[in-house]
Amino acid sequence: RKEVEQDPGPFNVPEGATVAFNCTYSNSASQSFFWYRQDCRKEPKLLMSVYSSGNEDGRFTAQLNRASQYISLLIRDSKLSDSATYLCVVRESGGGADGLTFGKGTHLIIQP
Amino acid sequence: DAGVIQSPRHEVTEMGQEVTLRCKPISGHDYLFWYRQTMMRGLELLIYFNNNVPIDDSGMPEDRFSAKMPNASFSTLKIQPSEPRDSAVYFCASSRLTSGNYGYTFGSGTRLTVV
């Protein structure tokens, strides 16, 4: 059974701080990895893909550890607008669209 | 680009009634997905289509659920008869496989309440 596990939180973090959370996946054959962001009562939106070598997009850094089967997201200099639920997402195969498997999300609250 | 369009945004219906959810994918996207989201189970894939053909419906809960995609610009998810446990947010998403390390674009969702 495909599983993607996340700490549900909430993570309460002061504005300006750095916050990081991880996600573990059960299927070692997983090929593609993503972080999605979901605001309250809104649809999930793609935040960033996660590449094997790690990648950065502004204040956001994503890393992949295939040996330990986990993905991480680091947010630097957090803003109030970063408050949201962050969904870890895994796709099983290297080709074709077999459907993404979503974690249940980590709830992040940035406090002024 | 209008994005993925879902209707209705909200639906309240009585147990036993038929419910039809609608989705218009992004033009040019050849994959369409139906997801259901609840607090308990998170986002679950129900079914997906490629070029209007259903590829995997193993996530459809039971025979009360059915989905169709008569053309590239329209899909429906039908629940008949509906039950209170079907209450959830139903998302439609679309994707274009050739867009590299692709993600999906989601619609705004349909919030279904069955009473």
Side-chain angles (χ1 to χ4, degrees):
Chain A
R1 182 176 173 222
K2 306 173 187 176
E3 287 196 2
V4 178
E5 300 289 339
Q6 294 183 253
D7 181 341
F11 284 47
N12 289 283
V13 175
E15 190 176 8
T18 295
V19 60
F21 25 85
N22 294 336
C23 155
T24 59
Y25 59 95
S26 61
N27 188 343
S28 60
S30 299
Q31 293 291 327
S32 302
F33 309 90
F34 309 87
W35 283 102
Y36 274 70
R37 170 193 170 127
Q38 187 172 22
D39 293 297
C40 186
R41 302 182 77 85
K42 298 285 189 180
E43 72 273 22
K45 292 184 179 178
L46 179 63
L47 178 66
M48 58 195 302
S49 302
V50 185
Y51 299 111
S52 297
S53 55
N55 50 297
E56 190 173 302
D57 183 1
R59 298 181 293 108
F60 297 82
T61 300
Q63 297 212 318
L64 168 64
N65 185 318
R66 285 190 183 273
S68 301
Q69 294 182 205
Y70 78 81
I71 307 151
S72 65
L73 179 68
L74 179 82
I75 306 174
R76 290 182 300 278
D77 188 23
S78 53
K79 312 291 184 190
L80 295 176
S81 58
D82 294 334
S83 298
T85 297
Y86 290 84
L87 305 170
C88 174
V89 188
V90 171
R91 182 166 63 89
E92 304 297 324
S93 68
D98 298 323
L100 300 178
T101 299
F102 285 76
K104 291 184 181 178
T106 296
H107 189 198
L108 175 64
I109 301 171
I110 305 300
Q111 298 174 327
Chain B
D1 187 347
V4 177
I5 300 172
Q6 290 187 247
S7 64
R9 290 295 303 273
H10 303 273
E11 177 81 32
V12 180
T13 190
E14 291 186 346
M15 182 174 63
Q17 296 298 306
E18 177 179 297
V19 176
T20 300
L21 312 180
R22 297 173 176 79
C23 175
K24 175 179 168 56
I26 292 173
S27 177
H29 282 191
D30 44 15
Y31 286 87
L32 183 141
F33 305 84
W34 283 101
Y35 280 85
R36 176 172 69 175
Q37 187 174 37
T38 61
M39 288 292 292
M40 288 295 294
R41 299 174 69 89
L43 268 165
E44 301 174 281
L45 177 64
L46 301 177
I47 184 171
Y48 79 93
F49 296 82
N50 176 217
N51 292 323
N52 314 338
V53 176
I55 303 300
D56 184 356
D57 66 354
S58 59
M60 295 285 261
E62 50 199 88
D63 291 345
R64 297 185 297 107
F65 286 68
S66 62
K68 294 182 180 179
M69 192 166 186
N71 57 63
S73 59
F74 184 64
S75 177
T76 60
L77 177 68
K78 186 175 294 186
I79 308 172
Q80 166 63 22
S82 57
E83 296 182 2
R85 61 191 167 122
D86 301 331
S87 297
V89 181
Y90 291 80
F91 287 106
C92 175
S94 70
S95 174
R96 186 174 59 200
L97 178 62
T98 56
S99 60
N101 201 19
Y102 63 92
Y104 299 174
T105 301
F106 282 80
S108 300
T110 295
R111 186 171 296 274
L112 174 65
T113 303
V114 183
V115 297

